[in-house]
Amino acid sequence: MARTILWRLLYALPIAFGVSLVCFMLVYIAPGDPLQTVLPPDANAEMIEIVKRAYGFDKPLPVQFAQWLWRAAHGDFGLSVATRRPVSLEVGGALANTMVLAVFAVPLSFAVGAGLGTLAGCAPPGRLGRTLDRLVTGTAVMGVSVPNYWLGLVLVIVFAVELSWLPASGMGMGGSDGFSVLRWADLHYLVLPVVTLALVPVGIIARSTRAAVLEVRGQDFVTTLRAKGLTELAVVRHVLKNAAPGMLAVMGLQFGYLMGGSILVEPVFAWPGSGTLLGRAIVNRDVPVLQGAILSLALIFVATNLAVDLLQAAMDPRVRRA
Amino acid sequence: MNSQTLALPAAAPVRLPPRPGYWGMVGGRLRRDPVTVVFCLLMLAIVLAAVFAPLISPFDPYKESIIFRLKPFGYRGHPLGTDELGRDILARILYGGRSALLMGVGPVVFAGLVGGSLGVLAGYAGGWVGTLVMRTMDVFYAFPSVLLAVAISGAMGGGMLNGMIALALVFIPAVCRVAETATTQVRGLDFVEAARATGAGHLMIVRHHLLGNVLAPVLVYASSLVSVSILLASGLSFLGLGVRPPVPDWGLMLSTLRQAIYVQPWVCAVPGAAIFVTSMCFNLVSDGLRSAMDVRLR
C-alpha cells in the first residue's frame, strides 16, 4: 500500500505542476501587455513599479514562473484589479461558500443516484425492473443534456416566483459573513442551489451504479451466496461491496463536475462562491482573480482524483497491483 | 446410396432471403429504435430551422420596439413573446440556432483533426514523443471541462472565435486519448508488421493501415462531444464569454432575460429549453447511431 501511495503521489505532482503552469500562462494568452492585464487601469507609477518587481516582468519567463509559483505556494496571487484586495482573500472566501454548496450537494446527489441505481440493478426483471431501467436511463440522458444554469432558473421560476416557497437568490439576511448552516432561516437559501447542483449528476451516477451492480450480480460467487441460503438483502450487501470501487471512480469524476458546474449555477442564485467570483472577474477582466480561482479549483479537482485513486486502492487489492 | 443422398439438395434448392447489406442492417436496427428516429428528425428540423431562419422567421431578430417589451406568449403575433428590448423571441431562437450549431460542431471538428493527429502521432511514435504528448494532455485533462473553457476564453477576452478556440482546446486532450489508445492497439498487430516487412514507410503505414482503424472510434467519440460543446458554448455565452450582443444566441438570451423573471417568468425560460432540446437530440442521435452502426453488436 505504501508503494501505491508513493506511486500515485509521484504521478499527481507533475500534473499539479502542469496545472499551475497553465494557470500562469493565462496572463500571457490575454491580449495586450501582461503588465496591463494585472494592473488596475488607473495605476500610478509607484504601483506599476511594485507590480513589475513582484511579477518579475523584466526577467525571463522560467524565472517569472518560478517566482509566481513560489508566491502562489504561499497564498499570494497578487491584487485583484477590480477591488485591489488580495486575490487570496477573495478566492478564499468564495471557495468557502462553494464548499458549503458542495458539502450538501455531493452527498445528496450520490445518495439518490446510488440508491436509484442499486434499486434498478437489483429489481426483478419484470415490469418494475423495466420501469426503473427506463427511469435511470432517462434521468441520465437528461442530466447530461440539461444546461445546469437553466435548470436552476426553472427551479427559481417555479419555487420562488410562482409559488414563493423559497428565496430566489443570495445567502440570507447576514450575507456571506453572517451565514450559518445551523440557522433554519439561512438553510432556505441553500435549497435551490443545492438541488440544482445535485440533480444533474444523479442520472449518470444511477446508470453506472446499475451497470456495476448488474455486472457483479452475474458473477459466480453470487450464485454461491444464494445457494448457501443467504437472504436477498444480505446478497445485495455483498454485491454492493464488490461494486463499490467502480462506483467510487464515477463519483470522483462527478465531484469534479459539481465543482465545475457551480461556476455556471452560482451566478443564477447570486451565491457568492467561486463561480460568481469568476463571473465577476470575467466582466471586470480581472485576470489575477481569474488565475487564482481557476488554479485553486483545478488543484482541488486534482487532489480529489488522487484521493479517489487512493481510496480505490485501499478498497480493492486488484487496483493496488496494477 | 451416397450418390442419391448427395444429389437431393441440388434438386430442391433452398431459397434464402437476400442477406441485408451493412446499410440494410443499420436501417433494420433503426426501425426497431423509434426514439433515435424521432430525435433524428427533430435534430434535422432544428438544423433546417437554423439554416433557413431568414426564410421562416416571422420577424427581424434585431428589430427593437420600445412599446412592446417583455410581452407574454402569443402577444400580437409574437408566439413566444418579446424580450427586454422588444425583439421577437421566436425569431431570435431561430437565428440563435446558428451560433449554437456552429459552436457545437466547429470546435469538435477542429479538435477531432488536431487531437486525432496528435493521438496517432503519440501512439505510432511511442517512446519519448508519445510520453511527452500524452503527459501534456494529462495536464489539460486534469481540469474540469467547464473550468478550462472559462479559464482560456476568460483570459483571451470572450467573443465567438475565442470561445471556439477555448472549446477546441478542451476537447483536444480527450480526442487525443481515444486516438492514442486505438493506435497503440492496432500498431502491434501482425498486418502492420507485415506492411513494414514489405518495406512500407511510416507515412504509408499510417495512411493505409492505421487511419482506417483509428477513424471509427475517433468519429464515434467526436459525435458524442457535439452536445457537450453546445452546452459549454451556451454556458460561455451565459457568462458573457461567447457570442457578443446583439447577435442572437441562446445562452446570451438566457443571461439577459434572467433579469426579468419576475415580469415574464416562462418567457425567460424559453432559450434554455432550446439548448436543452438541441443538446438532448445530439446526445440521443449520437448514442442511437453508434449502436445501430456497430458491426460487432449482433
Side-chain angles (χ1 to χ4, degrees):
Chain A
M1 191 65 201
R3 246 187 67 186
T4 316
I5 295 177
L6 194 73
W7 200 240
R8 296 289 148 103
L9 269 176
L10 278 180
Y11 181 75
L13 275 177
I15 297 278
F17 181 78
V19 164
S20 321
L21 182 61
V22 171
C23 290
F24 167 72
M25 292 308 290
L26 286 179
V27 171
Y28 292 88
I29 61 171
D33 183 9
L35 184 58
Q36 294 301 319
T37 315
V38 295
L39 274 175
D42 56 340
N44 53 20
E46 187 193 2
M47 198 162 174
I48 293 177
E49 205 43 53
I50 292 172
V51 169
K52 223 180 199 166
R53 213 168 326 119
Y55 277 78
F57 278 132
D58 44 353
K59 302 199 176 73
L61 266 184
V63 179
Q64 281 185 39
F65 175 54
Q67 264 186 0
W68 178 82
L69 199 63
W70 181 252
R71 287 188 302 115
H74 291 77
D76 176 12
F77 291 100
L79 293 178
S80 158
V81 172
T83 60
R84 304 209 184 167
R85 288 178 59 206
V87 171
S88 51
L89 279 183
E90 302 249 352
V91 173
L95 270 182
N97 287 337
T98 298
M99 279 302 159
V100 171
L101 288 186
V103 160
F104 285 88
V106 170
L108 179 67
S109 161
F110 289 176
V112 176
L116 196 63
T118 311
L119 265 181
C122 292
R127 219 190 144 127
L128 177 72
R130 260 204 315 278
T131 316
L132 274 173
D133 178 24
R134 285 212 184 112
L135 181 71
V136 166
T137 318
T139 38
V141 170
M142 288 209 236
V144 291
S145 314
V146 75
N148 49 13
Y149 49 98
W150 177 69
L151 183 67
L153 201 67
V154 169
L155 290 178
V156 166
I157 291 173
V158 174
F159 293 101
V161 178
E162 300 282 359
L163 299 169
S164 350
W165 286 356
L166 291 161
S169 63
M171 276 184 99
M173 304 302 247
S176 176
D177 297 325
F179 183 84
S180 161
V181 185
L182 302 173
R183 202 177 308 129
W184 185 241
D186 284 358
L187 279 182
H188 283 91
Y189 290 86
L190 265 174
V191 177
L192 287 182
V194 164
V195 170
T196 307
L197 276 177
L199 266 181
V200 174
V202 158
I204 305 170
I205 295 173
R207 188 166 64 179
S208 31
T209 306
R210 178 176 166 274
V213 166
L214 279 179
E215 201 229 307
V216 176
R217 260 166 64 102
Q219 287 173 20
D220 287 340
F221 81 94
V222 178
T223 320
T224 314
L225 291 178
R226 286 228 176 78
K228 258 171 44 174
L230 256 64
T231 59
E232 197 53 35
L233 203 67
V235 172
V236 168
R237 224 189 58 224
H238 279 278
V239 168
L240 279 185
K241 252 187 181 167
N242 280 278
M247 282 152 60
L248 198 69
V250 175
M251 289 180 178
L253 248 145
Q254 290 306 316
F255 181 79
Y257 289 131
L258 271 172
M259 298 289 300
S262 65
I263 294 180
L264 290 165
V265 169
E266 281 175 7
V268 174
F269 297 98
W271 186 267
S274 46
T276 306
L277 182 72
L278 272 175
R280 215 171 50 228
I282 288 162
V283 173
N284 298 331
R285 301 236 359 91
D286 196 340
V287 177
V289 170
L290 189 81
Q291 216 173 25
I294 299 272
L295 180 62
S296 332
L297 284 171
L299 286 182
I300 289 176
F301 188 54
V302 172
T304 327
N305 279 343
L306 178 67
V308 167
D309 267 2
L310 292 179
L311 260 178
Q312 227 176 345
M315 281 164 83
D316 189 347
R318 282 170 300 182
V319 178
R320 232 174 293 162
R321 247 173 272 134
Chain B
M1 172 199 144
N2 269 345
S3 62
Q4 257 185 347
T5 42
L6 279 178
L8 258 174
V14 183
R15 281 211 158 240
L16 285 167
R19 250 179 84 81
Y22 174 68
W23 291 108
M25 176 200 77
V26 171
R29 282 179 181 172
L30 281 180
R31 240 167 289 153
R32 273 172 276 130
D33 187 5
V35 176
T36 303
V37 176
V38 167
F39 277 92
C40 207
L41 291 176
L42 189 56
M43 187 185 87
L44 272 180
I46 292 169
V47 172
L48 289 178
V51 172
F52 295 109
L55 296 178
I56 52 176
S57 168
F59 292 93
D60 176 359
Y62 295 102
K63 176 92 172 49
E64 298 174 9
S65 157
I66 305 170
I67 320 161
F68 302 131
R69 281 181 302 178
L70 290 170
K71 292 298 175 196
F73 295 133
Y75 182 87
R76 290 218 181 171
H78 295 287
L80 294 178
T82 60
D83 71 359
E84 75 287 349
L85 295 174
R87 297 172 294 194
D88 181 61
I89 289 190
L90 177 62
R92 291 182 72 75
I93 293 276
L94 288 173
Y95 276 89
R98 297 178 151 199
S99 61
L101 293 175
L102 185 63
M103 288 186 82
V105 177
V108 174
V109 170
F110 185 72
L113 290 175
V114 176
S117 318
L118 277 174
V120 170
L121 173 75
Y124 186 72
W128 66 268
V129 178
T131 313
L132 182 73
V133 172
M134 293 323 288
R135 291 298 87 80
T136 314
M137 293 299 151
D138 281 352
V139 168
F140 285 92
Y141 216 71
F143 288 89
S145 47
V146 190
L147 200 65
L148 188 58
V150 168
I152 295 170
S153 59
M156 290 198 301
M160 198 157 168
L161 185 68
N162 285 347
M164 283 170 76
I165 294 172
L167 288 179
L169 283 175
V170 170
F171 297 138
I172 285 174
V175 178
C176 182
R177 271 192 178 183
V178 173
E180 195 249 4
T181 314
T183 309
T184 28
Q185 269 168 6
V186 179
R187 190 188 55 177
L189 295 183
D190 285 345
F191 73 91
V192 177
E193 203 62 35
R196 191 170 297 133
T198 54
H202 293 306
L203 205 65
M204 181 76 132
I205 293 176
V206 168
R207 250 181 59 200
H208 288 275
H209 302 287
L210 286 180
L211 231 47
N213 290 295
V214 175
L215 217 55
V218 168
L219 279 181
V220 164
Y221 185 71
S223 76
S224 74
L225 282 178
V226 173
S227 75
V228 180
S229 185
I230 290 175
L231 273 185
L232 284 179
S234 58
L236 287 183
S237 300
F238 181 74
L239 286 177
L241 281 174
V243 178
R244 291 216 173 91
V247 176
D249 175 85
W250 298 337
L252 194 62
M253 287 170 75
L254 261 185
S255 83
T256 50
L257 282 170
R258 192 158 65 90
Q259 321 298 331
I261 48 167
Y262 284 95
V263 190
Q264 289 295 345
W266 292 106
V267 169
C268 300
V270 168
I275 304 170
F276 181 35
V277 172
T278 309
S279 144
M280 193 150 76
C281 280
F282 277 95
N283 238 323
L284 286 170
V285 169
S286 135
D287 270 5
L289 285 185
R290 180 190 329 178
S291 49
M293 290 168 81
D294 194 340
V295 275
R296 276 160 304 180
L297 286 175
R298 277 291 164 197

